[in-house]
Amino acid sequence: MKRAVFLVLGVAFAIPAIAQDLRPLCPTRPGLGTPPCIVDKGHTLAEVGVGDWTRDRDGDMQSDRVIVGDMLLRYGIDTQSEIEIGWTAYGHQRDRAGTSVNRSSGTGDVLLAYKRSVANPDGSGLSAAVQPFVTLPAGGAAIGAGDWGAGVIVPISTDIAEGVSLQLSPEIDAAVDEDRSGRHLAYGSVAGIGVDLSEAVNAALELSAFRDDDPSGHSTELLAAAALAWQPVDAWQLDVGSALGLNHSSPDARLYFGVARRF
């Protein structure tokens, strides 16, 4: 199955772009938040996290997670809305406590989402959308949640100066319990500033705060993130990003990079 997915993506990425009057390329990656822009009707935006590494330390316990092939396909069904499907091809988790090491690996869950614009679907000016989503337990124990989850995101962006935008992504979830059965309330938001460094390069600085009311123990995750995206041509984007945990409940560090292609 992995080979078939990569083959489909490879063929899609190789198809020459057809010159059309399209909206500016607006991938979800590489930021932590969700943009309100909508993919053009009849077009698909393929986004792939090529590599993603996260480290978390807690006393003598250290966890490292590596994710490869974190894929998201977005398809514009009309001028105001799109559908999305996401899946992670491979994830590896390594937990070390003293001299004891435990390793696990597997695929991720499936994400299904629908995003509807309520203002400026091209992402210009004051832009807003509503995105309900559901996750299906298709993955293994390494990176899969073990049960279905659901939630809704209300992404908003607005221009505050020439080449500078403010972005918000409030979210509320029925998140899967840590014991992999049942759901609980989780909520929070990502706030960020996007800056156009040139016609082809954009930088983003973000803060993320999420409250998780898991029955096993409540926690609040705080992250600071920075990302850089380069669009050498209208249909392509290459990106890199990083995040740092700001409190004990957050992962210590994360580094990731990926690519997006519209066709």
Side-chain angles (χ1 to χ4, degrees):
M1 183 176 181
K2 295 180 189 176
R3 185 174 300 173
V5 171
F6 284 123
L7 179 60
V8 170
L9 285 175
V11 171
F13 273 52
I15 297 175
I18 300 175
Q20 296 183 38
D21 186 15
L22 300 177
R23 297 167 180 167
L25 188 65
C26 185
T28 299
R29 52 177 312 108
L32 302 181
T34 300
C37 52
I38 303 297
V39 176
D40 294 89
K41 178 182 178 181
H43 287 262
T44 299
L45 182 56
E47 307 183 29
V48 180
V50 178
D52 191 325
W53 167 78
T54 301
R55 169 165 290 180
D56 190 19
R57 288 178 176 172
D58 185 4
D60 65 346
M61 179 73 172
Q62 177 176 300
S63 296
D64 290 275
R65 174 177 290 189
V66 174
I67 291 175
V68 179
D70 185 15
M71 294 174 281
L72 179 67
L73 295 178
R74 300 165 54 195
Y75 177 76
I77 57 177
D78 57 42
T79 60
Q80 300 290 321
S81 56
E82 66 180 55
I83 54 175
E84 303 180 3
I85 180 169
W87 179 66
T88 301
Y90 177 78
H92 178 79
Q93 179 83 20
R94 179 182 182 273
D95 300 314
R96 178 178 62 82
T99 59
S100 176
V101 177
N102 180 59
R103 296 180 176 87
S104 59
S105 60
T107 60
D109 295 335
V110 171
L111 167 74
L112 301 176
Y114 170 80
K115 183 160 64 174
R116 177 76 179 182
S117 174
V118 296
N120 289 332
D122 63 353
S124 64
L126 175 59
S127 180
V130 178
Q131 180 177 308
F133 67 88
V134 62
T135 57
L136 306 178
I143 59 173
D147 204 345
W148 69 267
V152 62
I153 308 171
V154 184
I156 303 168
S157 70
T158 185
D159 297 332
I160 58 177
E162 183 68 27
V164 181
S165 62
L166 173 65
Q167 303 156 359
L168 299 172
S169 298
E171 178 178 346
I172 185 168
D173 300 343
V176 179
D177 293 348
E178 187 176 349
D179 66 4
R180 302 174 60 81
S181 179
R183 280 150 297 281
H184 63 273
L185 178 66
Y187 54 93
S189 184
V190 179
I193 296 290
V195 180
D196 293 332
L197 302 181
S198 71
E199 290 187 0
V201 180
N202 175 269
L205 298 175
E206 296 175 303
L207 290 175
S208 170
F210 275 86
R211 176 70 174 177
D212 191 294
D213 291 339
D214 193 280
S216 66
H218 299 181
S219 63
T220 300
E221 181 182 273
L222 299 174
L223 296 171
L228 196 66
W230 174 45
Q231 297 181 4
V233 293
D234 290 343
W236 282 90
Q237 175 179 285
L238 303 174
D239 61 70
V240 61
S242 64
L244 296 176
L246 301 180
N247 65 353
H248 182 72
S249 299
S250 308
D252 294 328
R254 180 187 174 201
L255 296 172
Y256 55 93
F257 63 98
V259 61
R261 167 71 156 93
R262 176 174 57 198
F263 55 94

